[in-house]
Amino acid sequence: MFEYAAVADLLSLAEKYNTSLAQIVLRREAEEYELTEQQVTEKMGQRLTIFADSIKEGLYDDRLSLSGMVGRDAGRIEKMEPVLLGNIAHRALLYALAVSEGNAKMHKIVACPTAGSCGIVPAAVFAVGEAKGADRERYCSAFFTAAGIGNVIARNACVAGAVGGCQAECGTAAAMAAAAVVDILRGTSEQIAQAATLALKNVLGLVCDPVAELVEVPCVKRNGFYAVHALTAAEMAMAGVKSVIPPDEVIAAMYEIGKMMPVALRETSEGGLARTPAARTVQNRLQNQQGH
């Protein structure tokens, strides 16, 4: 009854049943897994706790990763007063770095939608939620909304860097985050869809070129950038800004672009930043360490 394969389906179902996108996603999850809505909500609550803990643990852990490439940048952001960003955007940047750095140091995270993009959704949602006094119910609603957008993209395109480049990972995460933020702000279903679309269309073509085949550079800092990117999309959508290209067409375009990308730019570390002289130096150092 609550089957959806496109963003247009989500919007149509929400209108038909006079409810939110989050409720449609919740009901679909309950239907698909033969659980009660309360059971599904409890499972989301468990993930909510992991999201929150991953931020705290990432901020607490001031070690470098084993490669030495990432770590401590969240601490640098935390210690400074915002210079250009507002408090919410500054906190989103901070949280995204904290979670992504934690992932590089083997912390427990929610891959949302992937480990390489794990900081974007929780960072944007909690930064806005804290500022707006969101309660647990509001957070769960936001994450159900994010899940709905992520499900559609995964079904019709991809969320793996090896398939579609980083547009599929950080791009999908930014779209999910933007949608979730508009949910926190109690925007309309149409505004949620537009926020996701604006976020995704402006990440099209982003390549996946990890240095030394690790989810660290440029992944960690990229999480920080796209958490703030998601806030920009949400701000535009709340103002009534709309994408000329409809949501599902943007998703289809992302998939086509991913297929056009050379393999060297799809998580193989054979192109882009991964083949710069500095990156090769890092890779050689790590290989020598492993040899010893």
Side-chain angles (χ1 to χ4, degrees):
M1 183 185 297
F2 296 102
E3 180 71 33
Y4 58 88
V7 174
D9 294 339
L10 278 170
L11 293 172
S12 177
L13 286 167
E15 182 177 7
K16 177 180 179 179
Y17 292 100
N18 191 30
T19 190
S20 66
L21 297 187
Q23 279 296 310
I24 296 300
V25 177
L26 169 58
R27 292 175 189 179
R28 175 57 191 157
E29 290 292 303
E31 191 176 74
E32 182 174 2
Y33 295 103
E34 298 182 348
L35 299 170
T36 65
E37 291 183 21
Q38 182 178 351
Q39 287 174 318
V40 175
T41 301
E42 287 173 356
K43 286 181 177 291
M44 181 60 81
Q46 293 168 2
R47 286 165 178 76
L48 182 65
T49 299
I50 298 171
F51 276 129
D53 288 346
S54 67
I55 293 173
K56 294 174 185 175
E57 291 168 7
L59 291 173
Y60 178 78
D61 188 346
D62 64 354
R63 299 172 299 159
L64 292 174
S65 63
L66 288 177
S67 73
M69 287 194 292
V70 301
R72 299 176 183 165
D73 286 333
R76 291 183 174 94
I77 298 297
E78 186 175 30
K79 291 174 184 175
M80 72 176 290
E81 288 294 322
V83 178
L84 298 173
L85 297 178
N87 288 329
I88 296 176
H90 187 268
R91 192 152 291 272
L93 166 61
L94 168 64
Y95 290 171
L97 289 178
V99 175
S100 194
E101 285 182 346
N103 175 59
K105 291 179 277 189
M106 304 305 291
H107 288 195
K108 185 176 184 180
I109 54 95
V110 177
C112 184
T114 64
S117 59
C118 64
I120 296 170
V121 176
V125 171
F126 279 100
V128 174
E130 289 168 1
K132 301 300 180 181
D135 57 16
R136 193 172 184 83
E137 181 180 355
R138 192 77 246 148
Y139 280 122
C140 282
S141 176
F143 284 119
F144 277 122
T145 295
I149 296 298
N151 286 341
V152 170
I153 296 174
R155 176 168 183 159
N156 296 293
C158 55
V159 296
V163 177
C166 200
Q167 59 167 6
E169 297 207 18
C170 283
T172 300
M176 294 168 67
V181 165
V182 175
D183 186 295
I184 289 277
L185 298 174
R186 299 183 184 276
T188 65
S189 295
E190 177 63 23
Q191 287 172 325
I192 287 170
Q194 289 301 320
T197 307
L198 291 166
L200 184 60
K201 70 185 284 190
N202 287 290
V203 186
L204 295 181
L206 185 63
V207 303
C208 184
D209 50 354
V211 171
E213 301 179 10
L214 298 172
V215 186
E216 298 188 17
V217 175
C219 318
V220 170
K221 296 181 183 70
R222 200 169 271 176
N223 273 250
F225 276 98
Y226 284 102
V228 177
H229 174 91
L231 300 185
T232 302
E235 184 95 334
M236 294 177 78
M238 291 298 291
V241 176
K242 294 185 177 182
S243 170
V244 172
I245 310 302
D248 294 306
E249 292 184 28
V250 171
I251 293 169
M254 187 264 271
Y255 184 50
E256 288 299 314
I257 292 168
K259 289 193 295 183
M260 293 176 191
M261 278 186 188
V263 173
L265 299 177
R266 286 188 275 143
E267 208 173 350
T268 58
S269 297
E270 294 177 356
L273 293 175
R275 301 308 295 164
T276 60
R280 293 183 187 190
T281 298
V282 170
Q283 187 164 18
N284 290 335
R285 171 175 62 80
L286 293 175
Q287 288 174 342
N288 290 334
Q289 288 175 352
Q290 291 172 357
H292 290 106

